[in-house]
Amino acid sequence: MLNTTIAALLGGPEMILVALAVLLLFGGKKIPELMKGLGKGIKEFKNGQDGSDEPEVQKEAKPVSTL
């Protein structure tokens, strides 16, 4: 049984055709939104693998007020 990946089967011209097809299907404005969602999904997946269920919250430095 052959153990190959899709990337090994696709060359330069084929990848260009796939990129053009994606651009035609989704349009230039929708692709950044799709990539942003994909990035969030990957981040959540990695957090799930680490065992942290809570999303990371960036804490801002707040000045301490003394009364």
Side-chain angles (χ1 to χ4, degrees), residues 12-32:
E14 289 86 3
M15 287 189 183
I16 291 172
L17 287 175
V18 169
L20 287 174
V22 168
L23 184 61
L24 287 174
L25 287 173
F26 295 109
K29 293 182 180 180
K30 194 70 173 174
I31 292 176

Side-chain angles (χ1 to χ4, degrees), residues 20-49:
L20 287 174
V22 168
L23 184 61
L24 287 174
L25 287 173
F26 295 109
K29 293 182 180 180
K30 194 70 173 174
I31 292 176
E33 294 175 17
L34 291 171
M35 294 299 111
K36 186 177 180 182
L38 181 65
K40 284 183 180 181
I42 290 172
K43 185 176 180 181
E44 288 180 14
F45 180 75
K46 286 183 179 181
N47 286 342
Q49 281 184 331

Side-chain angles (χ1 to χ4, degrees), residues 57-66:
V57 178
Q58 294 179 352
K59 296 181 180 178
E60 297 178 11
K62 296 180 182 177
V64 178
S65 62
T66 57

